[in-house]
Amino acid sequence: MNKKVVSILVTSAMAASMFSFAASAEDELITVGYAQVGAESDWRTANTESFKSTFTEENGYQLIFDDAQQKQENQIKAIRSFIQQEVDYIVIAPVVETGWETVLQEAADAGIPVILSDRQMDLADDSLYTCWVGGNFVKEGETCGQWLADYLEAQGRGEEEINIVTIQGTIGASAQIGRTEGVGNIVAQHENWKMLDMQSGEFTQAKGQEVMESFLKSYDDIDVVICENDNEAFGAIDAIKAAGKTCGPDGDIIVVSFDSVKAAFDSMIAGDLNATFECNPLHGPRVAEIIQKLEAGEDVEKIQYVDEAYFDTSMDLESILAERLY
Ligand code: GZL
């Protein structure tokens, strides 16, 4: 056999072995399709980063990430694409709780486990997803309401007529439903508290400012604004200042919010925000732990809450901020 033919055969054999090596390396990676809500808030950015830094090739994963820009139809398209790509797992942070049965059934028919992260789904058949990991939104709301009661009491305002407005999150999202319910449970315990109005700020700073501007035009006696995430609070604070009013511990209007991102600590240190109620976004490692258990054939808990706290201006915020991961 002449040298040329031999060299072609050797090259082909090497290419084949490399391809098969690459294929086997590729085969060893666990493919995860992740349908993320969007990039609407600092919390969401931290949540996305947690997944991207966890589901790396070095850690044995191939992550296929989709940003749905807060649109359910985009998330459904992404899930269908993951099914076509025959991923090993689908992770979804559902933008709203309803409208998922059909596409989840398609994933089930394809034999692909679905893990829910962050927000929940309202399903008649909860076998359509393997498990959910996220924050306890009702508890976050109740903790916020109780903090406000204690704060007002400490100021000698426990019996005063208190006018409250709420800038809600995306209507129909678990975080909005739970936080609104939780705060409402505490408001109901105080007959001297009045919830003047509630409107959605879509969990964004721009919309939060717009809603607060409208509240300030409609009501001249607002004592408290409850923002269902920190970014809405940043917008509300800008609107309050633009209207010539003050906010925070020494201001006209008490401002509280949810998430506890780093920028919320900056706002409390600046004296604008009174308190923030944590919603831990670092779900990546938790979901990876779940996948590893499933890979090992182990059972996993259906509902898995992450640990959460709250922070206010009575605390050593500079020290806490120095340790914060998001
Ligand atoms: C909470 C999450 C919410 C955050 C917002 O788990 O769903 O969505 O509170 C984000 O910042 O937009």
Side-chain angles (χ1 to χ4, degrees):
M1 190 178 294
N2 71 38
K3 280 189 179 168
K4 189 168 170 46
V5 171
V6 170
S7 67
I8 287 171
L9 284 174
V10 168
T11 308
S12 310
M14 280 174 65
S17 64
M18 279 177 67
F19 178 76
S20 62
F21 172 75
S24 62
E26 188 77 9
D27 288 350
E28 282 157 17
L29 293 178
I30 298 171
T31 56
V32 177
Y34 180 37
Q36 176 61 294
V37 168
E40 73 282 2
S41 66
D42 293 28
W43 187 97
R44 187 65 56 196
T45 302
N47 182 245
T48 292
E49 179 48 36
S50 174
F51 276 87
K52 289 187 173 177
S53 59
T54 299
F55 291 95
T56 60
E57 288 209 5
E58 301 90 276
N59 290 340
Y61 299 95
Q62 180 195 354
L63 180 67
I64 306 169
F65 176 84
D66 180 86
D67 170 344
Q69 295 169 351
Q70 294 212 125
K71 292 184 175 62
Q72 182 174 29
E73 63 266 25
N74 290 346
Q75 286 196 297
I76 291 171
K77 274 189 207 134
I79 294 163
R80 288 193 166 123
S81 165
F82 298 153
I83 293 169
Q84 279 174 346
Q85 296 177 69
E86 297 180 346
V87 297
D88 297 311
Y89 295 89
I90 292 173
V91 181
I92 310 169
V95 60
V96 291
E97 292 201 344
T98 54
W100 300 100
E101 284 79 358
T102 303
V103 75
L104 288 189
Q105 189 56 58
E106 291 167 21
D109 295 344
I112 302 173
V114 171
I115 296 167
L116 302 186
S117 163
D118 172 21
R119 300 180 187 175
Q120 295 174 315
M121 290 182 180
D122 180 8
L123 298 167
D125 174 8
D126 73 0
S127 71
L128 289 173
Y129 71 93
T130 301
C131 63
W132 169 87
V133 60
N136 185 333
F137 305 120
V138 174
K139 186 176 172 204
E140 291 170 13
E142 289 175 344
T143 304
C144 173
Q146 190 52 52
W147 177 93
L148 179 62
D150 297 343
Y151 184 76
L152 290 167
E153 190 65 39
Q155 288 196 329
R157 303 173 68 185
E159 304 310 315
E160 186 183 310
E161 289 294 313
I162 298 294
N163 291 321
I164 305 170
V165 291
T166 298
I167 303 178
Q168 295 177 289
T170 301
I171 299 302
S174 305
Q176 176 273 309
I177 294 168
R179 289 167 187 166
T180 298
E181 179 186 333
V183 169
N185 292 344
I186 306 301
V187 169
Q189 295 172 9
H190 297 268
E191 58 187 17
N192 56 314
W193 290 8
K194 186 176 179 193
M195 186 62 76
L196 296 175
D197 206 336
M198 289 187 182
Q199 278 181 42
S200 175
E202 295 296 339
F203 287 130
T204 67
Q205 180 165 340
K207 189 75 175 151
Q209 180 169 348
E210 194 182 300
V211 170
M212 192 66 206
E213 285 165 356
S214 73
F215 284 158
L216 289 164
K217 288 191 183 93
S218 306
Y219 310 100
D220 57 9
D221 52 358
I222 296 171
D223 298 303
V224 181
V225 55
I226 296 174
C227 305
E228 292 190 348
N229 85 330
D230 293 332
N231 292 79
E232 291 175 342
F234 306 151
I237 288 162
D238 288 345
I240 290 167
K241 290 180 176 177
K245 290 179 179 278
T246 57
C247 54
D250 305 320
D252 308 319
I253 300 176
I254 296 166
V255 183
V256 297
S257 61
F258 294 86
D259 284 350
S260 305
V261 297
K262 285 179 178 175
F265 284 79
D266 296 333
S267 184
M268 288 189 285
I269 291 164
D272 294 332
L273 181 68
N274 290 77
T276 178
F277 297 82
E278 187 179 37
C279 179
N280 189 325
L282 306 181
H283 298 165
R286 293 293 297 275
V287 172
E289 187 187 325
I290 288 164
I291 288 177
Q292 287 305 319
K293 283 186 174 176
L294 294 171
E295 287 288 294
E298 294 173 25
D299 291 335
V300 293
E301 291 288 317
K302 192 79 176 176
I303 300 292
Q304 303 187 32
Y305 291 116
V306 292
D307 299 332
E308 298 171 318
Y310 73 84
F311 307 94
D312 67 25
T313 51
S314 71
M315 300 174 181
D316 179 1
L317 296 170
E318 284 86 352
S319 304
I320 299 169
L321 176 56
E323 304 298 315
R324 294 289 289 171
L325 294 175
Y326 61 90

